[in-house]
């Protein structure tokens, strides 16, 4: 059991390097990986090759998919399609359900688009809706934050849930179905709970610093696509991925052409090509190239962190710690509820400590990858519990917190009430969905 202590020590080192030394999370994860290998006495050549293989194996599985997904989202944003989708969805709801429409728009947009971009697109709408409907502005801002944060954490093709299938060895289509349904249910529940809470805790004299400051978005002034056309880049890859998953569940092994087009990399490549076609109506070739370059730069950072998490996971397995974790979980008597709560707790601790939801998600799933077989449930439920924990407590050490607080003109306390609180409510709702789902459909 000393190896579990070495794992804990390595995690502490990773957290300290990120928080105190201010090293990049990817570098910190690799240092923690090497330290774990040394402490568990893995031979040095094997340690080096094992870490590199872990990085490479995860990149083989999701590298192109993550890159294509980010390019797709950037093109949707820059072409104006994302804004059209948001306005249409919000406009389709009545005044009574305006906050649900706003959260739903944020949820849908953040499936392909980064949280910060989604927030910048939606915040002018949030302010306008709050004024027109007489709803508090912090309620509208919190609805955007929880909708966008939940989708970005739980629904592929964003990096965290996309990596879940590779780390835990299951079909990404299952993650898409369970994460999509569970995330949407969590958003609805969280909006209801947040609506009941925010008025009781909001103190304008302490929580507001200034008037809202909007950031100009590159899509303004462009000839935006229609709602249906704007949705095509998102619908195409999701439909193709689900085709393979459903075919496999209903008819068994799919034919080669279905397996090819439903592969996540091919599906997302097709989605990117559709996004290019949609964007070509309002953007020049130079503009589309700039969008793709911006996306690739963002993807590089995400992939480096994700790959470093893969290296960490490879050394955990080579040291036999994965089996130790599984044995520890089995000692609970196969109690899957306690095991899922433990997954949530580890994710929460990482998010609280390091701020980055990506680091929290990838590291937690890496550590808990061996849990599902030990408790006899499908690994998607373990992934959901880990991701719910990673959604939970973003605060001042998270860049998303400052975007959410400062653009609407809120103070730090205001940011905690419009970013941390609503996303925590969504994470709890997602955890409850996971516990119920693992009970009704263990699929072990």
């Amino acid at each position: 059991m000393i190896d579990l202590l070495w794992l804990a020590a390595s995690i502490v080192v990773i957290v300290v390097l990120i928080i105190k030394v201010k090293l990049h999370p990817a570098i910190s994860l690799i240092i923690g990986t090497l330290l774990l290998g040394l402490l568990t006495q893995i031979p040095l050549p094997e340690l080096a090759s094992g870490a590199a293989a872990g990085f490479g194996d995860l990149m083989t599985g999701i590298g192109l998919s993550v890159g294509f997904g980010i390019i797709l989202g950037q093109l949707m944003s820059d072409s104006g399609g994302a804004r059209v989708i948001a306005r249409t969805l919000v406009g389709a709801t009545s005044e009574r359900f305006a906050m649900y429409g706003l959260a739903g728009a944020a949820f849908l947009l953040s499936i392909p688009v980064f949280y910060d971009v989604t927030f910048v697109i939606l915040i002018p709408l949030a302010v306008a809706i709050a004024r027109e409907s007489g709803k508090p502005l912090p309620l509208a801002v919190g609805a955007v934050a929880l909708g966008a944060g939940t989708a970005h954490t739980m629904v592929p093709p964003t990096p965290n849930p996309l990596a879940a299938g590779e780390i835990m060895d299951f079909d990404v289509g299952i993650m898409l179905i369970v994460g999509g349904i569970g995330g949407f249910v969590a958003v609805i529940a969280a909006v209801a709970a947040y609506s009941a809470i925010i008025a009781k805790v909001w103190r304008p004299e302490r929580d507001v610093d200034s008037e809202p400051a909007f950031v100009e978005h590159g899509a303004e002034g462009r000839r935006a696509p229609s709602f249906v056309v704007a949705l095509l880049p998102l619908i195409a890859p999701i439909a193709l991925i689900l085709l393979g998953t459903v075919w496999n569940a209903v008819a068994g092994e799919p034919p080669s052409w279905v397996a090819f087009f439903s592969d996540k990399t091919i599906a997302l490549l097709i989605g990117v090509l559709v996004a290019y076609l949609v964007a070509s109506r309002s953007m020049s070739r130079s503009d589309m190239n700039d969008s793709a370059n911006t996306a690739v730069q963002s993807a590089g950072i995400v992939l480096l962190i994700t790959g470093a998490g893969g290296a960490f996971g490879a050394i955990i397995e080579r040291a036999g710690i994965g089996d130790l974790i599984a044995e520890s979980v089995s000692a609970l008597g196969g109690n899957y509820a306690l095991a899922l709560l433990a997954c949530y707790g580890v994710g929460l601790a990482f998010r609280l400590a390091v701020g980055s939801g990506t680091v929290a998600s990838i590291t937690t799933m890496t550590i808990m990858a061996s849990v599902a077989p030990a408790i006899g449930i499908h690994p998607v439920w373990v992934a959901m519990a880990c991701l719910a924990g990673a959604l939970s407590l973003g605060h001042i050490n998270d860049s998303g917190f400052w975007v959410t607080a400062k653009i609407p003109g809120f103070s730090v306390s205001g940011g905690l009430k419009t970013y941390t609180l609503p996303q925590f409510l969504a994470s709890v709702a997602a955890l409850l969905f996971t516990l119920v789902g693992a009970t009704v459909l263990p699929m072990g």
Side-chain angles (χ1 to χ4, degrees):
M1 297 299 287
I2 191 67
D3 286 345
L4 291 177
L5 178 61
W6 296 145
L7 174 62
S10 301
I11 291 170
V12 169
V13 168
I14 291 169
V15 172
V16 169
L17 289 174
I18 293 172
I19 296 175
K20 297 297 184 182
V21 184
K22 305 298 183 185
L23 276 181
H24 191 278
I27 298 174
S28 302
L29 277 165
I30 293 299
I31 291 174
T33 297
L34 297 177
L35 175 62
L36 177 61
L38 292 172
L39 292 173
T40 54
Q41 300 181 359
I42 294 176
L44 293 180
E46 187 179 335
L47 173 57
S49 62
F55 184 100
D57 288 345
L58 192 53
M59 287 302 94
T60 299
I62 69 166
L64 284 173
S65 302
V66 170
F68 290 153
I70 294 174
I71 293 172
L72 186 157
Q74 190 71 44
L75 286 169
M76 284 183 64
S77 172
D78 291 346
S79 67
R83 189 178 297 273
V84 168
I85 293 170
R87 286 177 172 165
T88 303
L89 290 177
V90 171
T93 58
S94 64
E95 184 176 297
R96 179 182 177 185
F97 297 103
M99 296 301 107
Y100 293 93
L102 195 57
F107 181 83
L108 185 62
L109 283 193
S110 264
I111 293 175
V113 178
F114 277 141
Y115 174 90
D116 293 3
V117 177
T118 298
F119 190 85
V120 169
I121 289 172
L122 283 176
I123 189 60
L125 281 176
V127 173
I129 289 170
R131 288 173 178 166
E132 292 170 8
S133 64
K135 304 286 187 182
L137 177 59
L139 173 57
V141 173
V144 173
L146 71 87
T150 302
H152 189 74
T153 304
M154 295 184 173
V155 188
T158 51
N160 304 348
L162 194 62
E166 291 297 324
I167 293 172
M168 298 189 179
D169 194 25
F170 65 92
D171 186 348
V172 69
I174 295 176
M175 188 71 237
L176 184 56
I177 294 170
V178 175
I181 296 173
F184 186 73
V185 170
V187 166
I188 298 300
V191 170
Y194 187 62
S195 299
I197 293 172
I198 187 60
K200 299 176 181 178
V201 300
W202 190 256
R203 300 291 180 268
E205 65 277 6
R206 289 185 305 177
D207 298 334
V208 178
D209 269 349
S210 60
E211 288 294 312
F214 299 139
V215 177
E216 288 297 323
H217 193 263
E220 285 293 345
R222 289 198 173 114
R223 184 167 62 91
S226 68
F227 175 69
V228 173
V229 172
L231 276 176
L232 290 178
L234 179 58
I235 292 174
I238 289 176
L240 288 171
I241 290 170
L242 291 180
L243 172 64
T245 302
V246 172
W247 192 301
N248 188 65
V250 174
E253 189 72 20
S256 58
W257 68 269
V258 173
F260 177 78
F261 284 106
S262 64
D263 179 86
K264 58 183 179 295
T265 302
I266 302 302
L268 283 163
L269 173 60
I270 291 171
V272 169
L273 295 177
V274 174
Y276 265 104
L277 287 174
V278 172
S280 66
R281 301 176 58 185
S282 59
M283 298 174 68
S284 68
R285 291 183 182 179
S286 176
D287 288 339
M288 290 189 290
N289 189 52
D290 289 343
S291 288
N293 287 336
T294 300
V296 169
Q297 291 172 11
S298 301
I301 297 171
V302 172
L303 289 172
L304 194 59
I305 295 172
T306 304
F312 190 43
I315 298 307
I316 287 175
E317 287 304 311
R318 288 197 178 218
I321 297 175
D323 293 335
L324 288 175
I325 293 173
E327 290 170 8
S328 300
V329 171
S330 297
L332 297 173
N335 191 319
Y336 65 87
L338 287 178
L340 293 176
L341 288 171
C343 292
Y344 178 86
V346 173
L348 182 150
F350 268 107
R351 182 65 188 274
L352 183 65
V354 304
S356 168
T358 299
V359 174
S361 298
I362 299 300
T363 310
T364 304
M365 290 190 294
T366 297
I367 294 170
M368 296 298 182
S370 58
V371 166
I375 55 178
I377 63 173
H378 194 282
V380 71
W381 302 119
V382 175
M384 283 288 290
C386 294
L387 293 169
L391 173 64
S392 59
L393 288 176
H395 58 99
I396 59 173
N397 59 356
D398 177 9
S399 62
F401 172 90
W402 295 107
V403 171
T404 306
K406 291 309 173 184
I407 293 179
F410 297 154
S411 64
V412 170
S413 63
L416 291 171
K417 294 172 185 177
T418 54
Y419 183 76
T420 309
L421 174 59
Q423 289 194 359
F424 175 72
L425 294 173
S427 80
V428 172
L431 174 63
L432 292 175
F433 174 87
T434 301
L435 292 170
V436 172
T439 302
V440 177
L441 293 170
M443 301 183 292

